[in-house]
């Protein structure tokens, strides 16, 4: 069973940057991180969970971003470290949320939240 652990959140001023990490462990025998699609979601208090970004398995390799983060966020994969990153630049107060990474059994984007396995989340606060 794949386990996901998020890290890298924190408090940052508007316009600043953070890099979130999603470390995967317990990958199935014979599989690498390239065989999985990993998505990032976020949820702010009182708001619905929102899909932020996704990177497909290497068979596809496509990346996806919600419109509000395009041009500011970049998702990437480091297979040697079994880690997916979300580089967040030009952060805005509206980016404040608890960020989760997730995977499902399809190994393609988008991740279906109804069938996803989740990490515990990492908090991002953008405030002056």
């Amino acid at each position: 069973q794949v386990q996901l652990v998020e890290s890298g959140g924190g408090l940052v001023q508007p316009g600043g940057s953070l890099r979130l990490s999603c470390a995967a462990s317990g990958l199935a025998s014979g599989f690498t991180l390239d065989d999985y699609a990993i998505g990032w979601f976020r949820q702010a208090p009182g708001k619905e969970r929102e899909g932020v970004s996704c990177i497909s398995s290497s068979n596809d390799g496509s990346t996806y971003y919600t419109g509000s983060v395009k041009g500011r966020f970049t998702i990437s994969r480091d297979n040697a470290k079994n880690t997916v990153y979300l580089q967040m630049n030009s952060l805005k107060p509206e980016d404040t949320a608890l960020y989760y990474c997730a995977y499902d059994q399809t190994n393609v984007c988008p991740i279906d939240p109804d069938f996803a396995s989740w990490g515990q989340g990492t908090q991002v606060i953008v405030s002056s």
Side-chain angles (χ1 to χ4, degrees), residues 7-102:
S7 63
L11 175 64
V12 65
Q13 295 186 52
S17 297
L18 287 171
R19 188 177 72 166
L20 306 185
S21 298
C22 175
S25 62
L27 276 61
S29 180
F31 289 81
T32 69
L33 189 60
D34 276 348
D35 298 309
Y36 297 84
I38 303 291
W40 283 97
F41 296 78
R42 66 186 181 186
Q43 188 165 23
K47 297 184 178 180
E48 294 184 356
R49 181 176 55 205
E50 175 187 26
V52 177
S53 185
C54 187
I55 184 166
S56 290
S57 68
S58 60
N59 289 338
D60 185 335
S62 297
T63 58
Y64 301 88
Y65 303 92
T66 193
S68 62
V69 309
K70 283 191 293 186
R72 300 189 297 120
F73 291 11
T74 303
I75 191 169
S76 63
R77 176 192 288 115
D78 186 337
N79 190 58
K81 296 182 178 180
N82 282 346
T83 299
V84 169
Y85 301 100
L86 185 67
Q87 178 67 45
M88 307 187 297
N89 298 326
S90 301
L91 283 162
K92 304 175 180 179
E94 51 263 43
D95 296 318
T96 296
L98 186 65
Y99 284 71
Y100 302 87
C101 60

